[in-house]
Amino acid sequence: MDILSNLALGFEVALSPMTLFLAVVGCFLGTIIGALPGLGPSNGVAILIPITFTMGLDATAALVLLTSVYYGAMYGGRISSILLNIPGDEPAMMTTLDGYPMARNGRAGDALVISGVASFVGALLATIALALVAPYLARIAYKFGPAEYFALYALAFATLGGMASNNQAKSALASFIGLGIALIGIDNNSGFTRFTGGNLHLADGIDFLVAIVGLFAVSEVFFFIESHGKGSAVGVALGKVTVPWREIWSTRWTMLRSSAVGFVAGVLPGAGASLGSFMTYMMEKSIAGKNGGFGTGVAKGVAAPEAGNNAAAGGALVPMLTLGVPGSGTTAVLLAVLMTLNITPGPTLFADRPEVVWGLIAALLIANFVLLAMNVPMVKVFVRILQVPPAILLPGVTMISFVGIYSLSGSYFDLLLMVGFGVMGYLFRKMDIPTVPVILGILLGYQMENNLRHAMTLSGGEWTYLLSSPISIGLWIAAALGFIAPMFLRRYLRKPQMVTD
Amino acid sequence: MIRSDRILGVVVVIVALVFITSAYNLPQGNLFDKLGPKAFPIIVAIGMIVSAAGLILRPDPEADWPEMPSLLSIGFATVVLVGYAYSLKPLGFLAPTAIAAAILSYQISPRPIPAVLTGIGLSVGLFVIFKYALGLGLFALPRSLMG
């Protein structure tokens, strides 16, 4: 059994005291980040990246810390959904539909426990599925040449863009803007400087971390200035927390079904956790029928979206690790981490750096148990943290962003760029232009151009080479469908506003 | 009718044209790099123009922009952050951070005393965490004062 020996290797890495410590810290920070409205998995991980690097953590340690934060944030998002009726992060939005009514009925504790267990089931099953599926997909990815990779990147943009906005032109625009930003700086193949306008600061290109922190974290402060921190509505009190065993047992099929659907939604590039929770909630609602009482505060209504979004979070790691193509906003951020650590995700990662992949998977399995412990018996601690007012939280987040970026390069120019990206993030989100494709463009632009140039050089300039293999034709067809299909499905599946992850 | 979608579309088209003209000055490809450094930027710029044209021709309903006072305070916050970016190095960490954090805090919740306390608390607290717990090389005060 290959997988068992791989997992043994993974646990060897993950069970070192330092890695365990980082996993616990990551889970704790992640749950807080998820619970606080205004901070979600993508911007939470984003502001922690620069700090992680300046601490000098090695690749495995940094990945374990940041993915624990990612998983933790997926768990934590439900806390404010249930208690405040404000999703702590976007994927937790569907949890407000039944979680808040449950809390209003005086069952806040039950809602938190059921959703915590559902999160655990979803995340655990998805992590196991990740361990099973990822090596298989990595083996297929060995067959990919430059033409296939170019098509794969196009697929990622098409599906992510197709899902991310209600207007295809806007998603496409965001992708091209990201690609354009990636082109700034010295061209590594020819040595020519491109599009810097003579500015020496730009010769090295724009660091994607600067763009990520600006778009995801700094832009948030502008939203809170606009709303004056209102919307932190009156919360519901949390009484004694007990475990409603029978109710949890009654949702077992809901949890299993939702985990499976959520995982698949996560693996598809671009779908991500928000779609996972949306699909699972809708699915369970129609299975339960009119008498199911969805929307009035039923256990299945909190179990489905939480199992779904946590499973999707695990699923989204599959394409990120095996193909180097992120399936969601947060995995795009994690891809940035890998690239900064000089780790190229993709099939070779499984062969060359097994300790990174399997250490990560083992750490995630451990993190799930830590998170279950934190989110069920210790949930009251996090409820207290929710009371931090935005007037302290948001300036704090901004200052941490500044210090983080400043500590990376020590350059005021990067800070200015970050503020610029913050303003851009605010304007784009106001105009319903998704910011995740911009990030994806900045991250993948270099690879995409390289693969295209490589393919053209191999073929002697013959463009049909891009469509010369069944795999690449299949990918292009999938890309076209992924981009166009949402236009027709939109009538039935209108995405709620502000969902970007 | 002028909508923000259209304005953005026009801006993007102009940027894309600048991109294309700038790319034309780059050299052609050669045997080892068939496409050369100019082809992909031109593809991207054409993509920008096509999608921007989509915005100009079929703009969405106007975005829900905030009232003038909110816009002004967001503009002011931007100026504060730019100033903070410039002052972090010459003036050290503590003073600029306290001032910038206090202003942002006041803008979110306009109560002066809690805002000032937030600024000072964040500045000192973050400095201690960053400097001593995480070991970042920050300077508390202007370097000229530190000798």
Side-chain angles (χ1 to χ4, degrees):
Chain A
M1 284 297 277
D2 233 10
I3 180 151
L4 288 182
S5 63
N6 282 330
L7 273 179
L9 168 74
F11 276 106
E12 212 169 288
V13 177
L15 284 174
S16 78
M18 182 65 182
T19 318
L20 273 181
F21 171 73
L22 287 172
V24 173
V25 172
C27 292
F28 185 74
L29 285 176
T31 310
I32 295 177
I33 286 171
L36 290 167
L39 273 181
S42 43
N43 46 21
V45 175
I47 56 170
L48 287 176
I49 297 174
I51 297 169
T52 313
F53 290 145
T54 37
M55 282 168 69
L57 294 179
D58 66 30
T60 319
L63 260 189
V64 167
L65 176 68
L66 293 171
T67 41
S68 303
V69 172
Y70 173 38
Y71 267 39
M74 302 301 298
Y75 272 76
R78 76 193 205 286
I79 298 176
S80 58
S81 294
I82 290 170
L83 294 178
L84 304 177
N85 200 21
I86 305 168
D89 47 38
E90 287 144 5
M93 192 162 50
M94 304 308 286
T95 314
T96 58
L97 298 181
D98 272 277
Y100 187 64
M102 240 177 130
R104 291 271 301 269
N105 300 339
R107 301 185 56 212
D110 289 354
L112 284 172
V113 173
I114 294 168
S115 56
V117 173
S119 300
F120 173 75
V121 172
L124 186 70
L125 292 177
T127 311
I128 294 169
L130 163 71
L132 294 171
V133 174
Y136 182 71
L137 197 61
R139 238 168 289 153
I140 298 178
Y142 264 121
K143 298 202 172 75
F144 281 33
E148 284 79 10
Y149 268 108
F150 187 72
L152 182 68
Y153 294 140
L155 169 67
F157 283 111
T159 50
L160 191 67
M163 296 285 180
S165 170
N166 287 321
N167 181 340
Q168 248 62 3
K170 288 186 169 175
S171 312
L173 183 68
S175 310
F176 285 116
I177 289 176
L179 287 171
I181 293 171
L183 295 174
I184 295 172
I186 291 174
D187 169 33
N188 275 350
N189 281 319
S190 64
F192 284 92
T193 311
R194 300 190 291 186
F195 317 114
T196 60
N199 187 329
L200 283 182
H201 291 291
L202 287 174
D204 281 340
I206 291 175
D207 192 332
F208 38 71
L209 291 180
V210 173
I212 288 173
V213 176
L215 284 174
F216 286 165
V218 177
S219 66
E220 204 69 42
V221 79
F222 296 126
F223 278 94
F224 275 81
I225 290 175
E226 181 189 332
S227 68
H228 291 292
K230 286 190 200 97
S232 320
V234 222
V236 185
L238 174 63
K240 198 168 156 31
V241 179
T242 52
V243 181
W245 294 108
R246 294 183 72 190
E247 224 168 347
I248 292 176
W249 184 244
S250 76
T251 62
R252 61 194 182 279
W253 297 117
T254 299
M255 289 185 192
L256 290 178
R257 273 194 300 261
S258 302
S259 303
V261 171
F263 181 76
V264 174
V267 172
L268 297 177
S274 302
L275 194 82
S277 64
F278 179 77
M279 280 167 57
T280 50
Y281 185 85
M282 287 314 190
M283 173 184 79
E284 287 302 320
K285 190 177 175 180
S286 54
I287 290 176
K290 280 208 178 94
N291 300 326
F294 269 61
T296 60
V298 291
K300 284 183 180 172
V302 292
E306 279 306 311
N309 71 27
N310 283 278
L317 289 173
V318 174
M320 197 274 279
L321 287 173
T322 54
L323 302 169
V325 173
S328 68
T330 318
T331 43
V333 178
L334 288 171
L335 178 67
V337 179
L338 286 173
M339 288 164 63
T340 315
L341 290 165
N342 257 333
I343 296 175
T344 319
T348 48
L349 180 63
F350 285 75
D352 300 347
R353 305 287 298 272
E355 83 284 0
V356 172
V357 182
W358 294 101
L360 174 68
I361 289 173
L364 287 177
L365 288 171
I366 297 168
N368 262 314
F369 288 92
V370 177
L371 281 166
L372 182 67
M374 280 184 185
N375 278 277
V376 176
M378 289 168 58
V379 72
K380 286 206 148 177
V381 179
F382 296 101
V383 172
R384 199 142 307 144
I385 291 169
L386 268 184
Q387 285 147 8
V388 177
I392 296 178
L393 177 68
L394 271 300
V397 167
T398 314
M399 300 303 132
I400 295 173
S401 309
F402 268 77
V403 174
I405 294 298
Y406 183 71
S407 63
L408 278 183
S409 63
S411 131
Y412 75 93
F413 186 77
D414 279 351
L415 295 178
L416 293 180
L417 273 180
M418 181 179 80
V419 176
F421 276 111
V423 175
M424 177 174 156
Y426 173 79
L427 296 176
F428 274 25
R429 279 167 59 188
K430 272 281 168 192
M431 296 169 72
D432 193 29
I433 299 175
T435 48
V436 175
V438 180
I439 298 290
L440 200 64
I442 301 176
L443 278 175
L444 298 182
Y446 171 72
Q447 294 282 345
M448 198 167 176
E449 178 178 17
N450 247 359
N451 278 302
L452 179 67
R453 280 160 82 167
H454 200 127
M456 284 301 120
T457 308
L458 282 179
S459 68
E462 197 55 60
W463 288 90
T464 50
Y465 179 71
L466 291 178
L467 291 170
S468 61
S469 82
I471 296 182
S472 61
I473 293 174
L475 289 170
W476 280 108
I477 293 173
L481 286 178
F483 192 68
I484 296 168
M487 293 188 199
F488 298 100
L489 293 175
R490 194 145 289 148
R491 218 176 309 157
Y492 312 102
L493 249 180
R494 194 167 174 85
K495 178 185 72 75
Q497 211 68 4
M498 302 298 292
V499 174
T500 48
D501 186 81
Chain B
M1 200 177 104
I2 296 180
R3 293 199 185 134
S4 28
D5 278 7
R6 291 208 165 111
I7 300 174
L8 179 75
V10 172
V11 172
V12 169
V13 169
I14 293 170
V15 171
L17 290 176
V18 172
F19 238 72
I20 291 177
T21 21
S22 159
Y24 262 101
N25 296 326
L26 291 165
Q28 286 288 352
N30 53 40
L31 191 61
F32 305 104
D33 178 15
K34 202 76 192 174
L35 279 189
K38 67 198 288 182
F40 190 68
I42 292 175
I43 297 173
V44 169
I46 292 172
M48 280 162 88
I49 291 174
V50 171
S51 38
L55 255 64
I56 295 171
L57 296 176
R58 294 183 55 193
D60 282 341
E62 185 62 61
D64 177 22
W65 297 108
E67 300 291 314
M68 209 47 187
S70 289
L71 276 185
L72 285 178
S73 63
I74 287 171
F76 183 66
T78 312
V79 174
V80 168
L81 291 178
V82 169
Y84 181 51
Y86 275 109
S87 59
L88 199 52
K89 197 164 203 169
L91 297 181
F93 181 79
L94 288 180
T97 306
I99 294 168
I103 294 175
L104 292 181
S105 176
Y106 182 79
Q107 287 191 301
I108 292 173
S109 164
R111 289 177 306 159
I113 293 170
V116 170
L117 292 178
T118 302
I120 296 172
L122 278 176
S123 163
V124 174
L126 289 177
F127 183 77
V128 170
I129 295 175
F130 286 134
K131 178 94 183 180
Y132 300 105
L134 301 177
L136 305 191
L138 290 177
F139 291 93
L141 298 167
R143 254 183 258 192
S144 51
L145 287 183
M146 308 273 281

